[in-house]
Amino acid sequence: MQITADQVKQLRERTGAGMMECKKALAETQGDVERAVDALRKSGAAKAATRSGRDAREGIIESYIHPGNRVGVLIEVNCETDFVARTAEFQELVRNLAMQIAAAGAEFVRREDVPAERVARERDVYLGQLEASGKPAAILDKIVDGKLEKFYAELCLMEQPYIRDDKKTIGDLVREAGSKTGENVVVRRFSRFRLGLD
Amino acid sequence: MQITADQVKQLRERTGAGMMECKKALAETQGDVERAVDALRKSGAAKAATRSGRDAREGIIESYIHPGNRVGVLIEVNCETDFVARTAEFQELVRNLAMQIAAAGAEFVRREDVPAERVARERDVYLGQLEASGKPAAILDKIVDGKLEKFYAELCLMEQPYIRDDKKTIGDLVREAGSKTGENVVVRRFSRFRLGLD
């Protein structure tokens, strides 16, 4: 069992324990970081019971509450330096992203974030809808793939057309911000609440 | 297989399909609401692909972003009428709850929301910490129970002492709001983001 530098780094961030303690704990748990966290907590080597990790990621957390307080969004966008995070341009980007999510209702940041089970379920529903059409299987597959692309474009933030300029996607908008600032700009996560709903 | 009125109501809310269609779909899926949703989507009876439920719950969605934009909270608090939701008192309560979550870092609304696996893991860590103490098992159990109570009081919003008046818990605060308004006041959910962390 090879313990990777990345596992050690993760464990150090999670527990604040020393390098050698982390390596030892990982060796004992065959590289299972979660179990290593528990082991370090048991032995008292972990600095705190809860996650106290440090991470190089900079950026800002912002919110947008739609007037009437029935829809709200919380978002984290990362960049590489606090300097960029404090610029008006970066902050405007984040506000625009939060408004986009409130208005257009993304559920995921990018298509890789959609659980495989959800995709399988969509595929099954589309096939069910087409069952009576009598079309050959190869055609059905193409139609289902097309519907899935539409599903991703609707539910994944990065693939949605930007509400303030539908000639570009949100992915384009974020990449533009990356070029302008010279930093890697990443939408890390968001939450969207609708009153009484999802 | 008995189909309950509640299942039919849920399915109607989720799909917007008619009462008889919902009953039929539930009968065919042995009361499995998720599969019934899919069946109604396949047959075209569901009004929309995404959840379009209606719910009687009123209240507001609010956010609190800590100065510096490194910690942010999104919260939904429900009451029974829009009239109460619009009062200054209710809105102040929600703002105070959002600030509490930002400052004190709850992870769950109430102890029932903590996954059983997480509780088992905490219990295991506490037992590990006490292993070397040589105390009898009955005493160990008591100590572990005590530590678990502390864990709940730290991580569950409703059990935390209120940061602006630590003589009461957040549960007390919410119940007071319920008595004052004469309505059931419920913290439904929240998200808390820390920049680059959890």
Side-chain angles (χ1 to χ4, degrees), chain B:
Chain B
M1 183 70 209
Q2 188 68 31
I3 307 300
T4 67
D6 190 56
Q7 286 170 320
V8 176
K9 179 164 169 280
Q10 257 188 60
L11 188 57
R12 293 197 67 183
E13 284 176 355
R14 290 279 298 277
T15 61
M19 170 86 77
M20 292 315 296
E21 285 167 321
C22 288
K23 280 191 178 166
K24 192 163 156 272
L26 283 166
E28 278 164 9
T29 63
Q30 273 85 50
D32 183 329
V33 175
E34 292 302 318
R35 280 175 50 223
V37 169
D38 289 356
L40 289 171
R41 286 181 60 197
K42 285 179 192 175
S43 72
K47 296 274 182 286
T50 49
R51 213 183 299 186
S52 64
R54 237 160 271 264
D55 200 307
R57 272 177 289 201
E58 286 298 332
I60 61 172
I61 297 189
E62 191 50 273
S63 65
Y64 172 74
I65 305 290
H66 197 71
N69 291 78
R70 300 181 79 89
V71 175
V73 170
L74 186 67
I75 185 171
E76 173 173 354
V77 183
N78 293 138
C79 55
E80 294 171 38
T81 62
D82 190 46
F83 175 79
V84 162
R86 286 167 192 268
T87 59
E89 290 75 14
F90 185 81
Q91 300 192 351
E92 196 195 337
L93 168 75
V94 179
R95 270 196 304 277
N96 283 333
L97 291 172
M99 284 181 72
Q100 168 87 24
I101 296 163
E107 286 187 35
F108 306 96
V109 177
R110 47 192 73 79
R111 66 168 69 190
E112 302 87 87
D113 302 332
V114 184
E117 194 223 11
R118 174 84 178 263
V119 175
R121 198 173 146 181
E122 285 301 313
R123 203 176 264 286
D124 182 53
V125 166
Y126 301 150
L127 279 171
Q129 287 168 345
L130 295 164
E131 216 166 44
S133 71
K135 291 195 170 76
I139 306 280
L140 286 186
D141 268 353
K142 282 233 166 90
I143 299 176
V144 167
D145 284 346
K147 280 174 178 265
L148 264 183
E149 284 300 315
K150 202 164 155 260
F151 166 82
Y152 287 132
E154 270 175 17
L155 293 192
C156 300
L157 177 65
M158 299 303 279
E159 307 197 17
Q160 288 181 342
Y162 181 28
I163 51 171
R164 303 180 78 168
D165 176 3
D166 63 11
K167 279 181 211 67
K168 53 175 109 171
T169 65
I170 296 298
D172 296 334
L173 187 72
V174 170
R175 275 184 294 275
E176 274 173 28
S179 317
K180 269 182 213 157
T181 60
E183 296 197 354
N184 195 12
V185 173
V186 178
V187 179
R188 184 172 167 222
R189 55 180 168 168
F190 63 81
S191 281
R192 178 178 189 264
F193 290 176
R194 289 191 301 160
L195 186 69
L197 298 168
D198 56 14

Side-chain angles (χ1 to χ4, degrees), chain A residues 53 63 76 188-189 191 197-198, chain B residues 63 188-189 191 196-198:
Chain A
S63 65
E76 173 173 355
R188 186 173 167 221
R189 55 180 168 171
S191 282
L197 298 168
D198 54 15
Chain B
S63 65
R188 184 172 167 222
R189 55 180 168 168
S191 281
L197 298 168
D198 56 14

Side-chain angles (χ1 to χ4, degrees), chain A residues 157-198:
Chain A
L157 177 65
M158 299 302 277
E159 307 197 17
Q160 288 181 342
Y162 181 28
I163 51 171
R164 302 181 76 168
D165 174 4
D166 63 11
K167 279 180 212 66
K168 53 175 109 168
T169 65
I170 295 298
D172 296 335
L173 187 73
V174 170
R175 276 184 295 274
E176 275 173 26
S179 317
K180 271 183 211 154
T181 60
E183 295 198 353
N184 195 12
V185 173
V186 178
V187 178
R188 186 173 167 221
R189 55 180 168 171
F190 63 80
S191 282
R192 179 178 188 263
F193 290 176
R194 288 192 301 160
L195 186 69
L197 298 168
D198 54 15

Side-chain angles (χ1 to χ4, degrees), chain A residues 111 123 126 130 139-153:
Chain A
R111 66 167 71 189
R123 204 176 261 287
Y126 301 149
L130 295 164
I139 305 281
L140 285 186
D141 268 354
K142 281 235 167 88
I143 298 175
V144 167
D145 285 347
K147 280 174 178 266
L148 264 183
E149 284 300 314
K150 203 164 156 262
F151 166 82
Y152 287 132

Side-chain angles (χ1 to χ4, degrees), chain A residues 44-57:
Chain A
K47 297 274 182 289
T50 48
R51 213 183 298 186
S52 63
R54 237 160 270 266
D55 200 306
R57 273 177 290 199

